[in-house]
Amino acid sequence: MTQRGDSLLLGTRKGLLWYERRNGRYELARVAHEGNPIAYAAVDPRDGACWACIDHGHWGQKLSRSRDRGETWEELPAPKYPDGAEVVDGFPGMGERKRIPAVLRYLWVFQPGGADQPGRVYLGTEPGGLFVSDDSGASWTLCEGLWNHPSRMEFWSGGGRDLAGIHSIVVDPRNSKRVLIAVSSAGVFETVDDGRTWQSRTKGLRNDYAPEPHGEFGHDPHFVTLCPAEPDRLWMQNHFGIFTSADGARSWIDVSQKDGPARFGFPIAVDEHDPRSAWVVPGESDQKRLAHKRVLCVARTQDAGASWQTLTRGLPSGASFDIVLRHALDLAGDTLCFASTTGNAFVSADRGESWSCLSNHLPPVYSVRFA
Amino acid sequence: MATVHFTPHLKRYFPELRSCEIESASVAELVKALDLRHAGLASYLVDDRGRLRQHVVIYVDKVAVFDRATLSDALRSNSVVHVFQALSGG
């Protein structure tokens, strides 16, 4: 009998590293797509299939799936932007922005649909398209409701990628037709009608580099997730702090530490049962993308962000230049794992109190997901 | 019939790929014909809009394809085509 957390998938620049937990330790079981960059890899808990988003430097974006825990793989058709689809280059306020054809540049995140939607899967992509499949990836449809949102051509721009991209997709476990997505850079959008219409959900966010820091659009959420046991509690690591919402994203509050490390970073994880507990891996700042004060640490709150604990036991004490990307922190029960672009990975079996090294010799890591 | 040769890197994804002869009037037609023989191969060579991918090069009779947007370059009956990609990075 396996349980979530028995497998650990690392999407790296050199392939998909598949670890299995044996006697409480994770051991490298296999490497899939060796040598190819894996932008994101995760297992669909509904059927156990593993999906990998492959970023071939030369051959384009590819989608691959395994139904035997990574032993064999089948290539699926990657989504295509429809003829005539356009995006704008540059940034709002730069004068007339150039319209260019929309082509798939990056498969940034994969997300299974709800438990009552067999076959429904989502892909978040650059340049800003949300693709939906209802036949387990045999065919893809661009979500026109979001693509035609009036904000897209005027306010969406690059951030994290050259053009706007969707990196976070959250499906409400109570209602599969309610989906939230996060766009860098634009903000957070919610649909409650299965993607037909979308509303901006950025109230309370702050965007310090913009002329209007509290404007409706132009925000750069680095990652958004929710607590499965209390789906109205969402968490966001943002370019300008850590934000949480207790009302289903209708409003956000800044819970960053003013003087501590829990402030700038990319990933955020929330406890599956306790909506008040969350973890981040702090970076120094947007100008200095390395470990906070060159000390690798994890910050944890257990009171919805009112206070944060800095956790370092088992992490290196020497100078560290690690930065952890937005998909490279995950949690399963009391077990956490994060991995950095410097090729270091650490695991905690006690909610972050102590850490052990998984490896110091990995390629740059783009995603960490338990299965 | 044009004769087509492929970079060995493509054989990792299309193990059955071999040098072959194909009747095509243009490079665009050639890519479509190749995709019929090897499903999905076109998506490795061209993007959503049918443009040659940035780091892919197709040579026709030792000359790189000029029209990378629509691949309208003509093929002669005895053209020799090479499909390459530019490897880089570490």
Side-chain angles (χ1 to χ4, degrees):
Chain A
M1 179 77 178
T2 59
Q3 61 180 12
R4 187 168 181 275
D6 285 344
S7 298
L8 176 61
L9 283 61
L10 269 56
T12 81
R13 183 167 167 158
K14 303 291 184 184
L16 168 53
L17 280 54
W18 192 302
Y19 292 81
E20 301 282 5
R21 185 164 54 186
R22 299 186 181 110
N23 300 318
R25 295 176 59 85
Y26 287 95
E27 298 174 4
L28 183 61
R30 67 194 67 91
V31 178
H33 305 293
E34 190 173 35
N36 291 333
I38 306 297
Y40 191 85
V43 166
D44 184 341
R46 300 171 301 179
D47 60 6
C50 177
W51 296 65
C53 301
I54 305 173
D55 175 28
H56 275 295
H58 313 89
W59 309 122
Q61 305 298 307
K62 306 300 176 197
L63 188 62
S64 191
R65 182 175 60 202
S66 172
R67 294 195 182 278
D68 55 8
R69 304 175 67 75
E71 293 283 356
T72 61
W73 294 82
E74 60 176 322
E75 186 175 325
L76 302 171
K80 286 186 177 180
Y81 282 78
D83 289 342
E86 289 185 320
V87 294
V88 286
D89 206 351
F91 293 90
M94 291 176 61
E96 187 174 353
R97 299 169 68 189
K98 185 180 174 187
R99 287 175 174 254
I100 57 176
V103 295
L104 180 65
R105 292 189 175 208
Y106 200 61
L107 297 171
W108 212 349
V109 69
F110 159 82
Q111 174 63 43
D116 60 338
Q117 297 174 308
R120 167 66 67 91
V121 285
Y122 298 96
L123 284 169
T125 74
E126 181 196 13
L130 176 68
F131 284 89
V132 185
S133 173
D134 281 312
D135 52 14
S136 297
S139 63
W140 295 95
T141 303
L142 178 66
C143 178
E144 297 281 352
L146 182 65
W147 188 250
N148 295 327
H149 194 278
S151 67
R152 189 179 67 82
M153 292 299 267
E154 185 169 1
F155 295 109
W156 294 27
S157 66
R161 307 286 308 171
D162 286 346
L163 299 172
I166 297 171
H167 50 65
S168 303
I169 305 170
V170 175
V171 179
D172 188 334
R174 301 164 301 187
N175 172 13
S176 299
K177 293 183 178 179
R178 178 171 179 259
V179 178
L180 292 113
I181 58 119
V183 182
S184 288
S185 289
V188 177
F189 295 84
E190 177 192 38
T191 179
V192 294
D193 55 13
D194 207 22
R196 279 188 287 280
T197 61
W198 295 80
Q199 293 76 41
S200 170
R201 296 295 183 214
T202 56
K203 184 181 177 184
L205 297 183
R206 193 184 69 255
N207 183 6
D208 289 344
Y209 55 57
E212 293 183 70
H214 297 280
E216 186 175 4
F217 303 108
H219 298 276
D220 189 7
H222 285 171
F223 189 65
V224 172
T225 188
L226 60 65
C227 174
E230 196 169 310
D232 283 336
R233 171 68 73 170
L234 292 105
W235 288 87
M236 174 194 302
Q237 175 71 62
N238 182 287
H239 203 89
F240 292 102
I242 301 166
F243 292 79
T244 187
S245 171
D247 57 8
R250 278 169 179 72
S251 64
W252 298 89
I253 60 168
D254 184 352
V255 293
S256 313
Q257 280 186 301
K258 299 307 171 206
D259 301 312
R263 184 170 185 79
F264 179 83
F266 292 94
I268 188 163
V270 58
D271 189 87
E272 294 158 324
H273 304 289
D274 175 11
R276 298 164 63 82
S277 290
W279 292 259
V280 293
V281 187
E284 177 66 35
S285 68
D286 59 346
Q287 298 94 344
K288 293 183 182 180
R289 297 186 181 197
L290 45 91
H292 182 259
K293 294 188 176 178
R294 279 185 257 141
V295 177
L296 191 55
C297 72
V298 171
R300 178 185 65 192
T301 180
Q302 299 178 105
D303 52 14
S307 64
W308 293 87
Q309 300 86 50
T310 302
L311 309 170
T312 59
R313 194 187 314 162
L315 297 176
S317 56
S320 168
F321 298 87
D322 296 61
I323 199 77
V324 177
L325 297 182
R326 69 195 74 219
H327 298 138
L329 164 69
D330 199 18
L331 168 147
D334 292 337
T335 302
L336 291 115
C337 178
F338 72 87
S340 71
T341 58
T342 321
N344 300 311
F346 299 91
V347 174
S348 170
D350 54 11
R351 302 174 67 77
E353 291 289 341
S354 63
W355 295 86
S356 59
C357 177
L358 182 70
S359 178
N360 295 125
H361 306 286
L362 301 175
V365 178
Y366 303 130
S367 77
V368 171
R369 288 294 179 262
F370 285 108
Chain B
M1 297 277 256
T3 303
V4 191
H5 302 289
F6 301 93
T7 166
H9 295 285
L10 276 170
K11 290 194 177 185
R12 178 175 179 186
Y13 311 106
F14 300 91
E16 305 300 317
L17 199 60
R18 301 282 186 280
S19 295
C20 60
E21 294 188 336
I22 291 186
E23 186 75 53
S24 296
S26 68
V27 175
E29 281 187 23
L30 178 79
V31 169
K32 284 183 183 173
L34 287 171
D35 198 60
L36 290 176
R37 293 189 184 189
H38 305 281
L41 178 58
S43 76
Y44 281 65
L45 307 181
V46 299
D47 67 15
D48 306 20
R49 299 279 79 79
R51 301 180 304 195
L52 206 56
R53 293 195 181 280
Q54 183 178 4
H55 298 296
V56 174
V57 181
I58 296 178
Y59 289 94
V60 178
D61 300 323
K62 301 182 181 178
V63 177
V65 162
F66 178 75
D67 177 11
R68 297 179 63 90
T70 67
L71 308 183
S72 63
D73 295 49
L75 296 180
R76 293 181 291 113
S77 61
N78 60 345
S79 283
V80 177
V81 178
H82 287 87
V83 178
F84 284 114
Q85 96 290 2
L87 282 176
S88 61

